[in-house]
Amino acid sequence: MALVQKFASGLAARSGELLNQSHTGDAPIRMSMNTPRKLHIKSYGCQMNVYDAQRMVDTLARENFVETDNAADADLVILNTCHIREKASEKVYSELGRLREAKDDAVRGGRDMKIVVAGCVAQAEGAEIVRRAPVVDVVVGPQSYHHLPALLERANRDGRAIETEFPLQDKFHSLAPPQPAAIRARGVTSFVTVQEGCDKFCTFCVVPYTRGAEVSRPVTKIADDVRRLADNGVREITLIGQNVNAFHGEGPDGKPWPLGMLLHHLAEIRGIARLRYTTSHPCDVDDSLIAAHRDLPALMPYLHLPVQSGSDRILGAMNRKHSVAEYHRIIEKFRAARSDMAFSSDFIVGFPSETEEDFAATLALVDQIGYASAYSFKYSPRPGTPAAEMQGMVDAATMDQRLAQLQQLIDSQQSAFNAACVGKTLDVLFEQAGRRAGQIVGRSAYLQPVHVMAGAELIGQVRPVAVNSLERYSFFGELPAEHAPAIASHRDHASLTATTGA
Ligand code: 5AD
Ligand code: SF4
């Protein structure tokens, strides 16, 4: 706890800071408000960052910014960063090195280019970023994205602006909703944030410090967002939160609703064919969530439920608050509710003091559960977290060897899971045109890509596909005759997604 406070007060000391120096030494170059300005945004890390990037684009669209794929061409570049592991953080600084050259070129050409660092590195490192990379104009933490236009204005005026506070004002209330055209351009699947922050304080994890305490959005606001997306062609919603199943947003009855109740409510919205949620903590799985999997055909039978380790001793040191046996019992409950449930997980190898025996217990757990896929990482000490101070760092060679062994086991499970799907008929939500002419691609309930030869009018529809073959991680299949489109049409995607049904 002491460490938590130390870290938190460090953040508070840096928060809201405003530096008055100009980074170029020249007078700031003003950008015209009338001509459209180009915005390039690059996101690292989790789905929350992808979602936040879209909210920033929507908010800046009001200020006449349009997105560009080309950073060199942009008037404003935003790096939406991730701090979860050291490698992720360091990528930001190498990218900033490249951007310095692009900015110098722009200035030489008589153009200004503003550079913003957003996301969790911004939150955790604050003013340190501009000390390491003076090219940065604005540093903005994840809770302050609604202040971006004002921060850009401040940077124009004062040379630089930094904001890493956790303001009390509801950021969601102030962020611009996406316009219908933007929703349609983004396709038939969408993320919706329902919860942010985490109170779990796993000892290895920076999230409680960078994203703050758990906050849930009210049910009516979430339902409004989902309705707006569905009305503009979105068919699949993934509810996201750092600890999504800790959701306890206020329901229309004024009482806190658990995630299972929210899912029941959203499944009623016309046009929504599929629901997913991520990322969940085993301790926050309750009966309402199990019931949702039992009762809602729209809720996909695929769950990311990180366990991190198969050793009770390591789980204790990680402050995970659950045992291996409890994790097994939770998985069994899901399987009992829906027999076609499949699971994925996150694992950390080489957590401080992890022995060969602890690691063997992780392999044993993977063996017993049988995952459809999983992510595994080498432990990376994060400044300010309790584990970073622990004794017994595992040496790099041992970490490499354990990671390779675990990934080999996970890969073999994934291959077996995928191979078992060949010859079966899977429901597929078609998302976009495939790489080959006349081909479209969608995803199964288990997020496997499935390709068929069919017309674009099926984009936005869920259809059964007879799966014939598997190439690496992608399936190829055929629509059964009665579902094959009679005539391939060339109507535009927007009109199609609005009128299709599952
Ligand atoms: N080192 C390695 N992996 C980590 N993760 C989170 N923090 C660390 C860390 N310090 C992994 C966990 C988590 C996933 C998002 O990233 O497995 O579930
Ligand atoms: Fe980090 Fe997840 Fe643990 Fe929260 S529950 S501290 S987000 S690993």
Side-chain angles (χ1 to χ4, degrees), residues 117-197:
V117 175
C120 292
V121 175
Q123 188 63 48
E125 298 189 8
E128 178 63 21
I129 293 173
V130 289
R131 269 193 284 277
R132 269 185 79 173
V135 68
V136 173
D137 300 284
V138 174
V139 176
V140 57
Q143 302 310 320
S144 303
Y145 294 155
H146 51 304
H147 294 158
L148 250 178
L151 289 167
L152 286 169
E153 207 35 57
R154 234 207 276 173
N156 248 342
R157 195 182 58 231
D158 302 329
R160 193 169 283 146
I162 300 181
E163 185 169 309
T164 52
E165 275 169 302
F166 289 105
L168 292 174
Q169 177 199 11
D170 174 14
K171 133 178 124 171
F172 289 99
H173 187 68
S174 317
L175 284 169
Q179 293 303 305
I183 298 174
R184 288 175 184 281
R186 288 169 190 162
V188 301
T189 66
S190 182
F191 296 128
V192 171
T193 296
V194 300
Q195 176 279 342
E196 257 195 272

Side-chain angles (χ1 to χ4, degrees), residues 128-413:
E128 178 63 21
I129 293 173
V130 289
R131 269 193 284 277
R132 269 185 79 173
V135 68
V136 173
D137 300 284
V138 174
V139 176
V140 57
Q143 302 310 320
S144 303
Y145 294 155
H146 51 304
H147 294 158
L148 250 178
L151 289 167
L152 286 169
E153 207 35 57
R154 234 207 276 173
N156 248 342
R157 195 182 58 231
D158 302 329
R160 193 169 283 146
I162 300 181
E163 185 169 309
T164 52
E165 275 169 302
F166 289 105
L168 292 174
Q169 177 199 11
D170 174 14
K171 133 178 124 171
F172 289 99
H173 187 68
S174 317
L175 284 169
Q179 293 303 305
I183 298 174
R184 288 175 184 281
R186 288 169 190 162
V188 301
T189 66
S190 182
F191 296 128
V192 171
T193 296
V194 300
Q195 176 279 342
E196 257 195 272
C198 183
D199 294 345
K200 285 285 181 295
F201 290 99
C202 298
T203 54
F204 52 80
C205 184
V206 289
V207 166
Y209 312 100
T210 54
R211 291 281 177 165
E214 268 173 24
V215 180
S216 297
R217 297 181 64 206
V219 171
T220 49
K221 295 215 170 135
I222 296 165
D224 287 349
D225 284 359
V226 171
R227 230 171 270 120
R228 186 186 180 88
L229 292 166
D231 287 348
N232 289 290
V234 170
R235 310 300 319 283
E236 175 180 299
I237 298 285
T238 302
L239 305 180
I240 54 172
Q242 270 85 33
N243 183 7
V244 73
N245 62 330
F247 175 82
H248 57 273
E250 187 185 293
D253 56 3
K255 296 193 181 125
W257 279 24
L259 184 65
M261 268 173 85
L262 174 68
L263 287 162
H264 271 95
H265 189 66
L266 300 180
E268 306 271 296
I269 292 177
R270 233 189 70 197
I272 294 303
R274 288 182 163 186
L275 290 168
R276 305 178 185 274
Y277 58 93
T278 197
T279 294
S280 301
H281 190 287
C283 293
D284 292 316
V285 171
D286 66 4
D287 290 346
S288 88
L289 195 55
I290 305 281
H293 278 279
R294 186 193 59 214
D295 300 339
L296 299 175
L299 183 55
M300 292 295 96
Y302 189 36
L303 178 61
H304 185 59
L305 194 64
V307 62
Q308 312 295 354
S309 168
S311 153
D312 279 338
R313 195 182 66 80
I314 295 294
L315 289 178
M318 287 177 165
N319 189 31
R320 286 292 292 177
K321 304 180 172 82
H322 62 80
S323 65
V324 172
E326 281 158 351
Y327 183 79
H328 276 295
R329 276 199 290 278
I330 294 160
I331 295 275
E332 279 321 306
K333 279 190 190 175
F334 282 111
R335 285 190 163 137
R338 214 176 144 162
S339 58
D340 57 352
M341 282 296 290
F343 298 90
S344 67
S345 177
D346 292 336
F347 293 93
I348 295 177
V349 300
F351 186 80
S353 86
E354 184 189 69
T355 61
E356 281 302 326
E357 209 182 344
D358 294 318
F359 178 64
T362 298
L363 295 177
L365 173 110
V366 173
D367 220 33
Q368 286 152 9
I369 300 282
Y371 288 98
S373 77
Y375 302 92
S376 43
F377 311 101
K378 289 187 274 188
Y379 171 68
S380 165
R382 306 312 292 130
T385 60
E389 312 284 322
M390 287 179 185
Q391 304 294 308
M393 268 301 281
V394 174
D395 67 87
T398 306
M399 278 213 217
D400 286 341
Q401 179 258 317
R402 288 181 189 167
L403 186 72
Q405 207 179 338
L406 177 59
Q407 287 185 339
Q408 197 179 18
L409 176 59
I410 291 167
D411 275 357
S412 69
Q413 291 195 338

Side-chain angles (χ1 to χ4, degrees), residues 37 39 41 55-66 76 78 148-149 152 176:
R37 292 172 288 171
L39 157 68
I41 187 159
R55 293 287 75 76
M56 285 190 258
V57 169
D58 295 333
T59 297
L60 290 166
R62 283 179 177 167
E63 309 287 315
N64 220 4
F65 278 100
V66 291
L76 173 62
I78 303 178
L148 250 178
L152 286 169

Side-chain angles (χ1 to χ4, degrees), residues 37-56:
R37 292 172 288 171
K38 290 183 189 160
L39 157 68
H40 177 78
I41 187 159
K42 186 164 180 182
S43 266
Y44 302 81
C46 65
Q47 293 96 333
M48 182 77 82
N49 268 5
V50 175
Y51 176 85
D52 284 348
Q54 289 180 351
R55 293 287 75 76
M56 285 190 258

